[in-house]
Amino acid sequence: MFPGGGKMLTDFLNDMFRRFGGEFVTWSEEDTPGPKCERNLDQAVEFVVEETSSRLRAVSGYARRLRKPVATTFQYIDKIIEQVPGVFPCRRSAFSEDPMVNAIFVNYTHLQEVFSESKEVRELFYTNPAAEECHALLCMQRKERRQLGMALVGDEVRKDVLQATVSFTDHQVVSPGVQEADTRCALKCCVFKSLIAHIRSEANRARTRSSDLQTRHRTLRSRLKRLEAESVHGTAGNELVRQIDAIEKELQNLEPRLVSLEDHFQYVADVLSHPDQYLSSYKQEIYIDRMGIKQKDDTGGTTRKLCLDEIQIAHQHPRVAALVRFPREELLPEKDFLRESSIFLAQ
């Protein structure tokens, strides 16, 4: 879901969000940031420029013009991540006690495997021998599948009732930390890096598409000129004119439209100024029974209510995000992957 980064980068962003919590959050449109806040913002601006395109430094006043957009994005990310509910325990006993844990894992062994297979979790416990548990973000894909099943309709049991089953797949443990605050801060960093990666990816896509269209446009224009020079136009010429017009229209409507360096800069500034258009967090309340079948409500007393937080970054599929904690004592023994692969190859 979220791209990683080097330790220095992660440490820098962690530090930025810690400072931000005490300073940037109070900066309104009319306020003038103090010297320390300006210094922090300038560091963040340089990170953004380096990660999107170092050429943006050639734009006049780039640092001053990016301060407010960067601060706006920090504020927004801080807000949505702080709204993610507090941690819930992921341990073997919780599988039979907690409806959420029971719903998102196949069984308690699956629960242990998800955390035990995370290199980051193992590294955290290794570097913090006194830590009895780790806090982390658990990301999952929620899937709904429709099927015919058996249900009680009135007083009659029917076998052809259309039902929706809910399941959770692709579990990923992200940003483990010793304390909840560490995980929240690391999650903010991951979301910020994901937004920057989206900006970079979209700009590269637009430039590549623009270059391809311009090359094809030149080729078609050359062919059309040859036909006109030979006084041969007809159906072939009309088709070339149609294709040229279509390319010119696509170039005109290409988004983002990065004709100049200033266009590129403005695109970066616009995205950071409106993070709510690219990052979203919303809550879902669903009811399911013990078989994972979706219900309309809690009628009958056998249905469990799940309160899910889903985070979506740009055009990516939304992911269920939950802050959890996992005990060291339930970490499974590390697998000898080299030995297992040798056994497999020897067969």
Side-chain angles (χ1 to χ4, degrees):
M1 173 186 183
F2 307 116
K7 186 177 186 302
M8 291 183 63
L9 170 61
T10 301
D11 290 345
F12 165 75
L13 288 175
N14 269 316
D15 187 49
M16 285 298 302
F17 270 105
R18 289 192 181 97
R19 297 184 190 182
F20 161 74
E23 295 182 69
F24 298 169
V25 74
T26 60
W27 182 24
S28 67
E29 188 70 39
E30 295 79 18
D31 292 335
T32 300
K36 186 178 179 183
C37 189
E38 282 189 352
R39 194 161 57 247
N40 293 344
L41 278 171
D42 285 340
Q43 288 179 308
V45 165
E46 291 304 321
F47 164 75
V48 169
V49 171
E50 192 64 35
E51 290 297 304
T52 52
S53 174
S54 59
R55 295 173 62 244
L56 296 181
R57 292 192 175 94
V59 175
S60 177
Y62 77 92
R64 171 183 54 80
R65 294 167 63 187
L66 278 178
R67 281 177 186 163
K68 180 59 179 176
V70 169
T72 298
T73 293
F74 269 92
Q75 290 174 5
Y76 182 74
I77 291 175
D78 188 76
K79 177 182 177 181
I80 65 172
I81 299 306
E82 286 300 321
Q83 291 177 351
V84 175
V87 297
F88 65 87
C90 280
R91 57 190 312 148
R92 288 172 62 98
S93 60
F95 184 78
S96 58
E97 300 169 355
D98 191 316
M100 183 70 172
V101 176
N102 184 270
I104 63 181
F105 295 103
V106 178
N107 50 44
Y108 53 74
T109 302
H110 176 223
L111 183 157
Q112 289 180 274
E113 289 174 345
V114 167
F115 290 90
S116 299
E117 292 174 1
S118 168
K119 293 181 179 180
E120 287 184 311
V121 169
R122 288 191 177 277
E123 182 178 355
L124 177 74
F125 281 135
Y126 179 77
T127 55
N128 296 273
E132 296 183 358
E133 61 182 10
C134 77
H135 293 73
L137 171 73
L138 181 63
C139 293
M140 301 154 284
Q141 186 79 42
R142 176 168 65 95
K143 292 187 176 182
E144 291 192 16
R145 185 168 61 91
R146 294 192 174 276
Q147 63 182 25
L148 294 176
M150 187 167 56
L152 183 64
V153 180
D155 295 329
E156 179 184 0
V157 177
R158 296 180 54 180
K159 300 180 180 180
D160 57 350
V161 178
L162 185 62
Q163 300 172 331
T165 59
V166 179
S167 61
F168 298 86
T169 62
D170 192 23
H171 298 66
Q172 293 180 334
V173 181
V174 181
S175 305
V178 176
Q179 299 181 6
E180 178 184 343
D182 298 331
T183 298
R184 283 192 188 272
C185 194
L187 175 55
K188 295 171 188 177
C189 296
C190 287
V191 173
F192 184 74
K193 287 187 287 184
S194 293
L195 180 60
I196 299 304
H198 169 74
I199 293 174
R200 182 175 61 246
S201 174
E202 286 296 290
N204 290 338
R205 179 196 58 78
R207 281 198 300 268
T208 299
R209 182 58 179 162
S210 178
S211 177
D212 292 343
L213 289 172
Q214 289 173 3
T215 299
R216 179 154 178 75
H217 185 269
R218 288 193 295 268
T219 301
L220 294 175
R221 290 290 301 176
S222 296
R223 289 171 59 186
L224 182 60
K225 284 183 178 181
R226 286 197 300 271
L227 288 179
E228 292 173 341
E230 298 169 359
S231 299
V232 179
H233 198 280
T235 304
N238 292 335
E239 176 61 20
L240 287 174
V241 170
R242 187 193 66 78
Q243 292 182 35
I244 290 171
D245 289 344
I247 289 176
E248 290 175 349
K249 184 177 181 180
E250 185 172 352
L251 281 168
Q252 187 67 29
N253 297 328
L254 192 63
E255 292 291 341
R257 193 162 181 262
L258 309 180
V259 177
S260 65
L261 190 60
E262 176 65 29
D263 289 336
H264 192 167
F265 175 86
Q266 195 57 53
Y267 169 64
V268 174
D270 285 346
V271 174
L272 295 175
S273 296
H274 304 92
D276 56 313
Q277 297 180 12
Y278 302 89
L279 302 172
S280 59
S281 175
Y282 43 93
K283 299 183 183 299
Q284 297 272 4
E285 290 187 353
I286 62 174
Y287 294 90
I288 62 172
D289 62 18
R290 297 289 294 186
M291 301 298 293
I293 300 174
K294 193 173 182 179
Q295 306 293 326
K296 293 182 179 180
D297 50 37
D298 195 18
T299 303
T302 59
T303 304
R304 300 166 294 168
K305 178 181 177 181
L306 302 183
C307 299
L308 307 175
D309 281 80
E310 294 189 336
I311 296 177
Q312 185 170 14
I313 300 174
H315 307 302
Q316 298 178 16
H317 291 295
R319 303 274 289 174
V320 176
L323 291 174
V324 301
R325 64 178 189 267
F326 177 77
R328 175 195 292 268
E329 63 184 10
E330 294 192 10
L331 194 69
L332 295 174
E334 188 169 11
K335 294 181 179 179
D336 188 342
F337 294 103
L338 181 61
R339 179 175 177 275
E340 289 185 0
S341 61
S342 298
I343 293 174
F344 175 76
L345 292 173
Q347 293 177 351

